[in-house]
Amino acid sequence: MTLEQMLGLAPVVPVLVIEDAASAAPLARALVEGGLPVLEITLRTPAALDALRRIAGEVEGAVVGAGTVLTPAQAEAAARAGARFLVSPGFSPQVSRAALAPLLPGVATPTEALAALEAGHALCKLFPVEAVGGRALLKALQSPLPQVRFCPTGGITEANAPAYLELSNVVCVGGSWVAPSDAVAAGDWARITALARRAAGLRGGASRRTA
Ligand code: 3PG
């Protein structure tokens, strides 16, 4: 599956910070059951690589990737742990060259989007989208950069996601709201499945509209 195909599977990619690897598989199952199979495990905790490995090995239907990939070493470790895709908050040519799985680089400006495109990335994370211009920025990029499509992340909620998803240059959105840390800590998988189900039902996604 190409990166675009993976990111086209659902309108929302949960951005997950996993503190305890034992919660990884039940959390992933709850999200997949709610209709969100594409999961980003951020490499921000000591448990992250183990969590990735467990989801990749144990959770049927999950398409798991690694987020917060900052270095070539992390890119390599994540791919070896089973990451099907890699996400970085910024665009690093070194990470791009080292990536053993498709990379979704982060960009926040037209210059960065152009640099990412030159390195072969026609699909970028726009981060942190609410802080750098939100929907207006994405709309402004449509005309000068029609080849680039985005997964905006950073400040997206159930309330503002639909307005992003209706833009033609948005493939999906990323966000942490579908897996609140208190629900994960409490093992409240039913609440997470309910949040995922609502997120999976959000309309939009350029790939869906043109399919
Ligand atoms: C992140 O990298 O933390 C993601 O962009 C998630 O952002 P959010 O918590 O605002 O959804």
Side-chain angles (χ1 to χ4, degrees):
M1 235 190 295
T2 65
L3 181 61
E4 185 139 0
Q5 285 167 338
M6 288 189 260
L7 296 182
L9 290 175
V12 178
V13 176
V15 176
L16 306 171
V17 181
I18 299 181
E19 303 288 349
D20 177 3
S23 67
L27 170 60
R29 279 192 203 99
L31 290 162
V32 172
E33 190 186 329
L36 299 183
V38 187
L39 310 174
E40 176 186 332
I41 311 302
T42 59
L43 302 184
R44 298 180 199 172
T45 62
L49 283 177
D50 194 17
L52 227 162
R53 215 172 280 119
R54 289 187 194 209
I55 295 170
E58 298 172 24
V59 183
E60 203 177 325
V63 176
V64 67
T68 323
V69 176
L70 306 179
T71 66
Q74 283 181 318
E76 192 180 326
R80 293 201 194 290
R84 307 263 303 270
F85 62 95
L86 308 173
V87 186
S88 181
F91 171 60
S92 155
Q94 292 95 309
V95 170
S96 173
R97 279 193 294 271
L100 300 175
L103 173 71
L104 182 73
V107 300
T109 66
T111 301
E112 292 163 14
L114 204 48
L117 186 63
E118 282 172 6
H121 305 287
L123 196 47
C124 295
K125 163 170 166 146
L126 207 152
F127 178 79
V129 69
E130 281 282 300
V132 298
R135 195 174 181 277
L137 174 58
L138 281 157
K139 280 196 81 165
L141 294 173
Q142 278 173 343
S143 174
L145 288 172
Q147 315 88 324
V148 186
R149 301 211 297 160
F150 299 93
C151 173
T153 309
I156 300 204
T157 64
E158 188 175 303
N160 66 14
Y164 282 104
L165 289 166
E166 71 186 18
L167 297 175
S168 62
N169 58 349
V170 168
V171 173
C172 61
V173 302
S176 60
W177 85 87
V178 287
S181 54
D182 61 329
V184 177
D188 189 352
W189 311 127
R191 181 175 159 212
I192 288 172
T193 295
L195 284 166
R197 198 160 278 137
R198 290 217 298 268
L202 295 174
R203 284 207 43 84
S207 53
R208 252 169 311 288
R209 275 205 313 282
T210 54

